[in-house]
Amino acid sequence: MSQPNERQPEGGGAPQGRSGGSMLPSRRSPIDLVHLARQTAGDRALEVEVLGLLVIQIERARPAILAAGPQERCRLAHALKGAARNLGAFRLADAAEELERDPGGPAMVDGLLDELERTARFARELSTA
C-alpha cells in the first residue's frame, strides 16, 4: 500500500493557524491522512467506507444547520465535531467547535459551511483515488 500522504488530491500553500504561525503539517489538508490510516489500521476499503459516511453526514448537516435555531445548531455542531475528529478532519472539527461555542454567530455558520464543503470535496476525491 502506498503511503497515505501520496494520495492527497488537494495542494496549495500551508494555511495559517489561529495564532498566525504555520499550521502543523497534519492540519494543512481537510483530512489528516496519517490519522485516518491509523484509525482504519491502513485498511483502504474501510477508509473509503468511512469517508463515504462522512460525506453523507456532511450532506445532511448543511441544510439542517441552515434551518436550525441556536440550540439545534449547537447539537449538530457537537455531533460533527466528534465525527470529524475521529476521522482526522481537524479543520472541520475546529469550525464545528467554534459554532458550538457561538451557535447564533453568522460568521461561525459561514465558517462551518465553508469547511463542510472543503471536507466533502476532499473526501470524495480520496474515495475515488
Side-chain angles (χ1 to χ4, degrees), residues 54-129:
L54 178 64
V55 169
I56 290 168
Q57 185 176 14
I58 287 171
E59 288 170 350
R60 291 178 179 167
R62 183 178 184 78
I65 288 167
L66 287 170
Q71 283 186 321
E72 180 64 7
R73 276 189 188 147
C74 187
R75 188 193 67 74
L76 291 165
H78 183 78
L80 272 171
K81 178 179 71 174
R85 284 207 173 118
N86 284 334
L87 296 179
F90 297 119
R91 290 180 0 191
L92 175 57
D94 291 346
E97 184 174 33
E98 288 179 16
L99 181 62
E100 187 178 16
R101 273 191 242 124
D102 183 8
M108 302 306 160
V109 173
D110 290 345
L112 180 59
L113 295 176
D114 288 346
E115 199 57 49
L116 283 169
E117 178 60 33
R118 269 190 293 279
T119 303
R121 183 174 50 248
F122 190 81
R124 283 186 201 101
E125 290 174 8
L126 285 176
S127 296
T128 60

Side-chain angles (χ1 to χ4, degrees), residues 11-31:
Q16 297 297 304
R18 287 188 189 138
S19 65
S22 293
M23 285 184 143
L24 298 172
S26 62
R27 302 273 175 135
R28 289 184 182 154
S29 71
I31 298 173

